[in-house]
Amino acid sequence: MANKTYDVAIIGCGSSGIAAGIELLSQSNLNFIILEARNRVGGRAYTDQHSLNFPFDLGAEWIHEYDSNNSLYSFHEQFQTDLNDDCYIQLFDPTRILCYDSDGSIISQEVSSLAQITTNRLFTQFKSNDTNEDASVYDAIQPEYNRLEEGQHKRLVKAMIVAVEEIFAADLYQLSAKQYLNNPNWSIEVESKNNLVVKHGLGYFLERITNHFQLSVLFNTVVTEIDTLSHADIVQISTSQNQKISAKYVIITVPLGCLKQDTIIFQPRLPQWKLDAVDQLGFGHTDKIIMQFDKTFWNEEATILYLVDASFPFALCNPAKCILSFMIGGRRAQKMEDEKNEITIAQIMKHLKQTFTQQEFKLEHYIISRWTQDEFARGSYSYFTMNSSVETMELLAKECSENRLFWAGEHTSDGASVHTAFAIGTREAKKILNYHSMKT
Ligand SMILES: Cc1cc2nc3c(=O)[nH]c(=O)nc-3n(C[C@H](O)[C@H](O)[C@H](O)COP(=O)(O)OP(=O)(O)OC[C@H]3O[C@@H](n4cnc5c(N)ncnc54)[C@H](O)[C@@H]3O)c2cc1C
């Protein structure tokens, strides 16, 4: 490796890096290497195969918007033979949402459906005014929320709003109303549809794709510096183990959280427009607290559980595995990450015991993610702040340093998901192939 100059070096072997590698492999004879800091592929799509007696996804779990236009569709179809127990879930199916009040009483289907309708309405009622000024989602929905009559319905709406903050990975006051409210691409109904659950794990699915194509990945390779200054045509990459790797083009797929915290030094400094874009787009926090019990003590038909007034009011249910996955976003996730596991678990258990008073149940195992403290993620995924828009993402995606540095990763296009990150990786590899063919 010491004296070799690669045509392309891809930094990061998450969804975007894998897709870029596949595109280069199948469409060119350019030689490339993927440099990955971890000892595994998949990045924020990680299937833990060991901690419980079945695989589960600690990060990304569903292929959203799964249909023939999805960038992962053909790969999934190809591998389906032994993944044929994959299934769809409709995340917010109103008939399968189970809501409990703080005194342990079940909230009627009528009240819970009404609360869901109210929550959906809150998130669609913003109209940007003539001056086209933005506001935070919090400011935009607060007047309407405040007008709701005090009582069970309003408290349940509040729990549902916590779930929305988990989906966005940010608090409502951080989110741009212009980008999220009245946006045909985003609503709770849209979020709910066509989510494919890959039973053996989404992280494992990416691992299978990588193995199938035999992509060359250098694991445990933490890139620390990218130098486009010292040589005219070559980019020099340094790693934490003092390796020097040279390439003509580099695709950078590291998470926006890493870029914000300057985990890689660029020589020379990146252009100001790129740094501004890094600064302006939000990078959120979301975590999972996966709890496995000795039995299922909730209604087995439920897909979602809301616990009104609880610190962790929103959980996904997996009755077959006796699992509740509590999910939390924004400041709540950051706070949880700073707490000891025992404190978090005790809080949730206390609320469950108060709610399910008639039931005897025991917690057998738990796992808690900490994506913000993960040094190669530094958060969960991107969101639109009031200072950002799709144009900000376009700047994040724009090549620089005389077309030697190319940019991928979920934050360089709208979507914040595994399949959009995958499509972006393909996009950047195609850009390099185009540019390279014009040059040669
Ligand atoms: C809790 C959680 C739940 C989610 N749920 C879903 C879901 O259900 N469905 C969905 O579609 N999406 C979901 N997402 C979002 C999804 O995980 C991401 O959008 C997607 O995985 C991003 O892929 P990527 O390739 O852009 O980045 P990553 O997957 O983060 O890949 C970047 C890679 O760069 C590596 N890296 C970082 N720094 C360096 C360095 N200095 N040197 C070398 N390598 C480095 C990292 O180790 C990583 O492997 C979820 C995310 C989280 C955190």
Side-chain angles (χ1 to χ4, degrees):
M1 199 173 65
N3 299 321
K4 185 168 174 179
T5 296
Y6 292 93
D7 291 314
V8 185
I10 300 166
I11 311 206
C13 196
S15 185
S16 249
I18 295 168
I22 294 172
E23 184 68 15
L24 292 174
L25 190 73
S26 5
Q27 303 299 330
S28 73
N29 48 21
L30 296 186
N31 62 53
F32 69 91
I33 185 84
I34 308 181
L35 308 175
E36 171 52 54
R38 304 177 197 267
N39 60 2
R40 60 165 181 85
V41 306
R44 282 168 275 168
Y46 169 51
T47 307
D48 184 328
Q49 311 269 3
H50 309 291
S51 303
L52 300 178
N53 52 5
F54 64 93
F56 65 90
D57 285 306
L58 207 51
E61 185 169 356
W62 307 293
I63 306 182
H64 295 304
E65 301 172 275
Y66 187 75
D67 61 22
S68 56
N69 295 319
N70 190 299
S71 61
L72 291 170
Y73 181 82
S74 62
F75 297 97
H76 184 257
E77 292 289 299
Q78 197 178 335
F79 294 141
Q80 217 175 22
T81 42
D82 57 341
L83 293 176
N84 57 8
D85 49 357
D86 293 356
C87 63
Y88 287 99
I89 58 163
Q90 196 196 336
L91 277 177
F92 292 91
D93 176 353
T95 61
R96 300 182 69 186
I97 292 179
L98 190 60
C99 307
Y100 284 88
D101 210 335
S102 44
D103 61 1
S105 59
I106 296 184
I107 298 178
S108 71
Q109 177 87 52
E110 199 189 345
V111 173
S112 69
S113 297
L114 198 63
Q116 191 67 69
I117 291 168
T118 305
T119 310
N120 294 359
R121 197 187 62 234
L122 286 174
F123 285 88
T124 45
Q125 44 103 47
F126 177 75
K127 307 257 181 301
S128 61
N129 59 25
D130 292 344
T131 55
N132 223 14
E133 262 175 34
D134 203 356
S136 74
V137 169
Y138 177 86
D139 286 335
I141 71 169
Q142 198 198 21
E144 175 92 7
Y145 174 79
N146 286 347
R147 274 197 292 275
L148 298 177
E149 202 178 311
E150 294 302 327
Q152 193 180 55
H153 166 254
K154 186 170 183 176
R155 290 185 298 116
L156 182 52
V157 169
K158 193 172 168 201
M160 290 179 171
I161 287 176
V162 174
V164 173
E165 288 181 325
E166 188 282 321
I167 293 170
F168 287 129
D171 290 10
L172 298 189
Y173 78 89
Q174 298 174 299
L175 297 166
S176 155
K178 230 192 212 176
Q179 301 300 327
Y180 289 114
L181 305 183
N182 264 357
N183 178 345
N185 295 327
W186 192 87
S187 72
I188 291 170
E189 283 103 318
V190 170
E191 187 70 17
S192 187
K193 283 184 191 141
N194 281 2
N195 295 293
L196 186 77
V197 183
V198 185
K199 278 273 167 67
H200 300 266
L202 186 48
Y204 177 61
F205 177 59
L206 292 184
E207 196 182 315
R208 282 173 50 111
I209 295 178
T210 314
N211 292 343
H212 176 82
F213 286 93
Q214 298 184 331
L215 298 179
S216 38
V217 186
L218 218 50
F219 290 105
N220 302 311
T221 305
V222 182
V223 170
T224 50
E225 188 175 293
I226 297 178
D227 175 358
T228 50
L229 189 65
S230 306
H231 304 275
D233 291 329
I234 301 292
V235 184
Q236 188 135 81
I237 299 161
S238 307
T239 73
S240 59
Q241 288 170 318
N242 293 326
Q243 295 151 293
K244 299 275 181 211
I245 296 154
S246 304
K248 293 180 191 147
Y249 309 99
V250 176
I251 304 180
I252 298 156
T253 80
V254 303
L256 180 61
C258 296
L259 297 176
K260 279 182 184 289
Q261 293 182 24
D262 297 321
T263 59
I264 300 179
I265 294 167
F266 290 87
Q267 295 287 5
R269 216 166 155 259
L270 289 172
Q272 196 56 44
W273 55 263
K274 180 71 84 183
L275 295 174
D276 289 345
V278 167
D279 205 34
Q280 281 158 7
L281 194 70
F283 196 63
H285 314 278
T286 185
D287 278 305
K288 296 182 180 178
I289 300 129
I290 298 167
M291 300 172 72
Q292 188 171 37
F293 298 91
D294 58 341
K295 64 177 182 194
T296 302
F297 50 89
W298 59 93
N299 179 339
E300 298 207 347
E301 294 300 307
T303 52
I304 284 185
L305 186 69
Y306 284 111
L307 301 173
V308 165
D309 294 338
S311 319
F312 296 85
F314 169 57
L316 298 178
C317 313
N318 182 344
K321 303 278 196 286
C322 305
I323 281 199
L324 290 176
S325 297
F326 286 86
M327 302 180 71
I328 203 85
R331 265 185 314 185
R332 285 184 171 82
Q334 279 180 291
K335 180 168 171 281
M336 186 281 293
E337 289 202 15
D338 287 338
E339 273 166 6
K340 289 206 167 108
N341 284 354
E342 295 71 29
I343 307 246
T344 303
I345 294 299
Q347 257 180 314
I348 297 178
M349 283 303 285
K350 186 172 167 213
H351 208 98
L352 288 175
K353 294 277 180 195
Q354 276 169 4
T355 305
F356 297 92
T357 44
Q358 307 297 319
Q359 306 275 354
E360 286 285 317
F361 55 91
K362 215 172 87 210
L363 177 65
E364 303 223 302
H365 306 283
Y366 67 82
I367 315 280
I368 300 181
S369 73
R370 283 189 164 76
W371 287 103
T372 299
Q373 290 179 9
D374 178 312
E375 62 176 318
F376 305 121
R378 308 214 177 202
S380 57
Y381 39 86
S382 56
Y383 65 85
F384 289 114
T385 61
M386 280 176 286
N387 275 333
S388 60
S389 63
V390 173
E391 285 78 52
T392 318
M393 290 179 160
E394 286 167 2
L395 290 172
L396 286 168
K398 195 173 162 193
E399 51 280 18
C400 62
S401 308
E402 294 87 36
N403 290 332
R404 284 180 292 161
L405 299 188
F406 291 76
W407 301 82
E410 58 80 21
H411 52 281
T412 63
S413 180
D414 204 358
S417 12
V418 172
H419 71 279
T420 51
F422 197 89
I424 291 165
T426 310
R427 174 195 78 192
E428 291 310 303
K430 278 189 197 304
K431 265 196 214 166
I432 291 185
L433 295 179
N434 267 342
Y435 180 72
H436 186 71
S437 70
M438 281 185 330
K439 216 172 130 189
T440 50

